[in-house]
DNA sequence: CTGTTAGCGCGTTCAA
DNA sequence: TTGAACGCGCTAACAG
């Protein structure tokens, strides 16, 4: 069973053992389209079995100039990103690709760089990266040309470095959070930001501000004073129960920096307390911490405070009361990403996949920044009449 | 800057560009120990720069018969396992190794098999696997000999397939959970099992049962009737406040199968309700769900129900009341694993690392199953006088 | 110090 | 169908 000293059996060993040529062995192993005798096949397979042969991927890849490997770089393995990785792995596997997943440990630029360098040295066929901590220039320099790069949840990447970006619509979701909080009776709304978090906080802030502005415009419009913007008014038409709003108190506070206690202090101070306070948090994790702090202070959720999170983590449903949050369309996102990348790699996509892709592209900014909507999942933490706690 | 059509520059191109030989280029790139003229080095480096050369890892690995790659297979990317992966990556990188992480998606045997096969085809230098879903025989057949395999959180692996196992002491922790709950005044204790979970549930069950038995023995011993086991008595000596226990109600119930509602129903039915009920859950996730259900029923935690989880997830601290749980010594575990593996790969370990390793080995069962203790983190959910809720 | 050369294990011709 | 031969890009001896 052993050939030499410690050497693993090669295709040549198998050929000798089976009494055929190396080419034949290769053909059998790779299930080529060349016609092969059933006898030959079984001879080879038996030899493979006897010798315990396993193909050497490095040699195969070197020879065929293709690694069938895709690289994924995410900030961490938890929650959304973890689900993302698992789903994407599944998707690309259907096309014969492997996915190597690396965490940049909270968007550490050095780690990002290192992982990316490794993937390129391994001649990965394609790269999928979270909006990176590295500068555009650095990234451009590293990835150069030749290796397709798809960005997800990253904004403003020039086309010469990333072919496309598939993003979640955090701005839209944030505006929706504001709208929903107001609709549920809040007259003061706050965004619990986390500016150091490895995610799209800026997009959330922008969307939050936008949402506030939009509602104010609508309120003003209802009073016949002026309007903010024709288009905005149109969208504000969705806001049905807040016609009487005169003034909305709103603010963006960095809970990451303040901590939940100081954050809540400021929130309570800024709001007039004559209506429930709405808090939209950067993530479910922050929402949970805030919820806990409310409990500790005897602030009733959702009666006095209404909470919205983001990510639909398992614990947001398991907490008490369950936290309203946004569902992340991980599957749609990974599917689109896989399609984009595989297309660039010259794979044959199914017609429906192509249709989906071109549809998504058509609605994208410049065809290069696809935006996927998030779905609000209303739960107890934002209910109107608080039965909960 | 471009050589041919689409070909990436090779070491040969660099050599030509720099006016030196391929071997010299290789020496410069790999920072060999051979002495090199500063002039030569700069010539090569400039050529590398000009051409945008990047070493081809596949060719290098093929030639050197070493991949510098370690493979890690975990059931999922979340929580403990995610932290584990990141930490291990960090550890092995110090020795020039890369870590490729794969999730088996909740211990799917097919995925495990596929990932393992891939890693072996890539000629990974070593494997680190969570106690696998695959049978021992299957694993033995796949991994064969030649590639060192270290198991973590897996029990009963024969030495011919895995060189060593580095496990967390779930049995010990579970016994400790029982002891602690009783000490905190509980007279009925339950283990909320999850038999389908991709983790060491059996070990927890065993430890729980052991813990109960131990305490009963101690109680009986206190009444001078008989004892369970000399050694057990000795250990039971740690239990200081429960000498008067006459009878402990205890049970193991599969919350994964029952769901939290039915589980709690049964718990309430089985216990006499004259003292707080202690519940030790398979994981923090289950503990949180149970906590939520308690809230919903108006059961006060920790006054009426005391809860212990496992994993020290972020949310267990952020929930209300904060959940008592066990801290996982991720760093110690990954460090030991890295040391074991690197030693087998012939790397030079630091003396202190070697000392640590041999010490851990000496206390291990047969020297091949290292057991790492978990630390209980007492929090509000098990406090004596319940201020919380 | 530097250059030459022979593999590493496999894929892919192209005649036979 | 098969077999021999070349190339993938690099490393490792050894020879200068």
């Amino acid at each position: 069973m052993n050939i030499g000293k410690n050497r693993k059996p090669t295709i040549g060993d198998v050929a000798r053992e089976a009494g055929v040529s190396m080419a034949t062995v290769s053909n059998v192993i790779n299930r080529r389209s060349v016609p092969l005798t059933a006898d030959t096949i079984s001879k080879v397979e038996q030899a493979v079995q006897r010798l315990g042969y396993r193909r050497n991927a490095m040699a195969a890849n070197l020879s065929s100039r293709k690694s069938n490997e895709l690289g994924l770089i995410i900030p961490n393995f938890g929650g959304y990103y973890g689900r993302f990785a698992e789903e994407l792995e599944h998707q690309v596997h259907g096309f014969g690709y492997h996915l190597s997943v690396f965490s940049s440990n909270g968007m550490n630029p050095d780690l990002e760089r290192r992982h990316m360098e490794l993937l390129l040295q391994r001649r990965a066929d394609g790269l999928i990266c979270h909006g990176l901590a590295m500068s555009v220039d650095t990234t451009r320099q590293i990835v150069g040309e030749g290796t397709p790069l798809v960005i997800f949840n990253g904004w403003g990447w020039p086309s010469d470095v990333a072919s496309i970006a598939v993003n979640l619509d955090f701005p839209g979701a944030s505006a929706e959070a504001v709208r929903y909080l107001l609709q549920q009776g809040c007259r003061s709304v706050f965004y619990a930001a986390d500016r150091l978090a490895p995610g799209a906080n800026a997009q959330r802030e922008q969307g939050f501000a936008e949402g506030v502005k939009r509602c104010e415009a609508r309120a003003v419009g209802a009073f016949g004073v002026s309007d903010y913007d024709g288009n905005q008014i149109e969208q504000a038409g969705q806001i049905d129960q807040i016609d009487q709003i005169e003034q909305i108190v709103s603010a963006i506070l960095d809970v990451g920096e303040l901590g939940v206690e100081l954050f809540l202090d400021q929130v309570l101070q800024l709001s007039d307390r004559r209506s429930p306070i709405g808090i939209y948090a950067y993530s479910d994790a922050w929402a949970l911490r805030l919820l806990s702090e409310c409990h500790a202070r005897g602030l009733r959720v959702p009666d006095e405070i209404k909470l919205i999170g983001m990510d639909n983590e398992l614990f947001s449903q398991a907490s008490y009361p369950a936290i309203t949050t946004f569902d992340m369309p991980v599957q749609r996102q990974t599917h689109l990403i896989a399609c984009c990348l595989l297309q660039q790699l010259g794979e044959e996509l199914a017609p429906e996949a192509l249709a989906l892709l071109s549809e998504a592209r058509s609605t994208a900014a410049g065809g290069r920044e696809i935006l996927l909507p998030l779905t609000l999942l209303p739960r107890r933490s934002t209910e109107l009449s608080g039965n909960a706690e």
Side-chain angles (χ1 to χ4, degrees), chain A:
Chain A
M1 172 152 170
N2 261 330
I3 311 298
K5 34 227 155 156
N6 213 357
R7 197 165 63 83
K8 293 206 171 66
T10 76
I11 207 176
D13 300 321
V14 176
R16 201 175 316 122
E17 175 83 14
V20 299
S21 76
M22 288 171 51
T24 306
V25 175
S26 174
N27 283 332
V28 170
I29 289 172
N30 298 320
R31 303 249 170 273
R32 245 342 127 33
S33 50
V34 268
L36 293 164
T37 323
D39 181 49
T40 319
I41 294 181
S42 88
K43 268 197 300 185
V44 170
E45 284 178 342
Q46 280 177 31
V48 165
Q49 199 67 29
R50 269 200 301 280
L51 264 46
Y53 167 80
R54 175 159 15 229
R55 102 197 252 280
N56 183 324
M58 297 183 298
N61 295 345
L62 179 60
S63 178
S64 65
R65 300 160 144 279
K66 171 139 201 187
S67 67
N68 289 305
E69 177 181 16
L70 302 180
L72 171 66
I73 298 179
I74 50 183
N76 56 65
F77 288 133
Y80 161 67
Y81 294 114
R83 282 178 279 155
F84 185 98
E86 281 174 353
E87 188 62 37
L88 189 59
E89 200 282 336
H90 182 69
Q91 304 259 3
V92 302
H93 177 237
F95 288 83
Y97 286 84
H98 300 288
L99 187 71
S100 292
V101 187
F102 294 96
S103 157
S104 68
N105 228 317
M107 297 185 79
N108 175 335
D110 294 334
L111 265 183
E112 277 180 3
R113 195 197 170 87
R114 192 156 68 74
H115 292 321
M116 192 174 267
E117 188 66 41
L118 173 68
L119 285 165
L120 291 170
Q121 289 194 4
R122 277 202 206 157
R123 299 296 188 263
D125 294 331
L127 257 38
I128 303 111
C129 297
H130 176 274
L132 294 157
M134 297 190 301
S135 72
V136 170
D137 284 338
T138 310
T139 310
R140 177 187 289 119
Q141 197 195 331
I142 294 179
V143 78
E145 299 175 28
T147 307
L149 168 64
V150 170
I151 292 280
F152 71 98
N153 297 354
W155 280 260
W157 286 87
S159 63
D160 65 318
V161 25
S163 60
I164 199 166
V166 181
N167 295 335
L168 297 183
D169 187 9
F170 292 122
S174 304
E176 166 69 5
V178 173
R179 190 198 66 73
Y180 186 71
L181 286 172
L182 295 179
Q183 179 185 304
Q184 296 303 94
C186 299
R187 290 301 167 266
S188 52
V189 289
F190 299 89
Y191 172 50
D194 188 355
R195 294 195 169 128
L196 291 176
N201 178 70
Q203 273 65 33
R204 290 172 174 73
E205 288 197 12
Q206 175 208 320
F208 179 83
E210 182 91 3
V212 170
K213 209 156 65 175
R214 206 179 280 169
C215 293
E216 283 173 345
R218 173 69 180 129
V220 172
F223 281 87
V225 182
S226 81
D227 58 357
Y228 167 67
D229 178 323
N231 183 34
Q232 296 297 332
I233 286 284
E234 207 63 71
Q235 294 200 32
Q238 300 163 356
I239 305 170
D240 32 37
Q241 302 183 19
I242 58 167
D243 285 346
Q244 300 80 355
I245 298 179
E246 283 152 59
Q247 183 106 20
I248 301 170
V249 176
S250 78
I252 294 174
L253 301 169
D254 190 346
V255 69
E257 187 191 332
L258 295 169
V260 285
E261 297 190 24
L262 280 178
F263 176 88
L264 259 192
D265 285 345
Q266 296 210 11
V267 161
L268 293 175
Q269 200 178 338
L270 288 170
S271 64
D272 60 5
R273 308 275 327 244
R274 282 180 304 186
S275 66
I277 298 169
I279 300 178
Y280 165 54
Y282 170 81
S283 65
D284 282 351
W286 280 114
L288 180 66
R289 288 193 196 106
L290 288 167
L291 175 60
S292 208
E293 181 66 16
C294 288
H295 267 127
R297 295 189 185 202
L299 288 166
R300 282 164 299 137
V301 176
D303 290 357
E304 297 172 86
I305 307 264
K306 294 191 194 301
L307 266 179
I308 298 187
M310 169 73 77
D311 282 356
N312 194 17
E313 303 266 10
L314 286 175
F315 63 77
S316 68
Q317 180 149 37
S319 67
Y320 190 85
I323 300 172
T324 296
T325 189
F326 286 93
D327 180 55
M328 322 288 271
V330 173
Q331 196 157 352
R332 280 195 59 199
Q333 195 179 20
T334 52
H335 186 243
L336 280 172
I337 289 171
C339 288
C340 287
L341 205 48
L342 291 168
Q343 190 181 240
Q344 286 184 66
L345 295 176
E347 301 290 334
E348 286 296 331
L349 262 47
E352 57 267 29
L354 279 172
L356 219 70
L357 191 57
S358 69
E359 188 213 324
R361 270 209 161 106
S362 69
T363 62
R368 298 204 325 98
E369 208 164 289
I370 297 176
L371 221 49
L372 262 35
L374 304 181
T375 315
L376 184 76
L377 299 177
R379 296 206 267 243
R380 308 275 315 251
S381 74
T382 50
E383 260 180 19
L384 269 179
S385 62
N387 304 337
E389 158 88 352

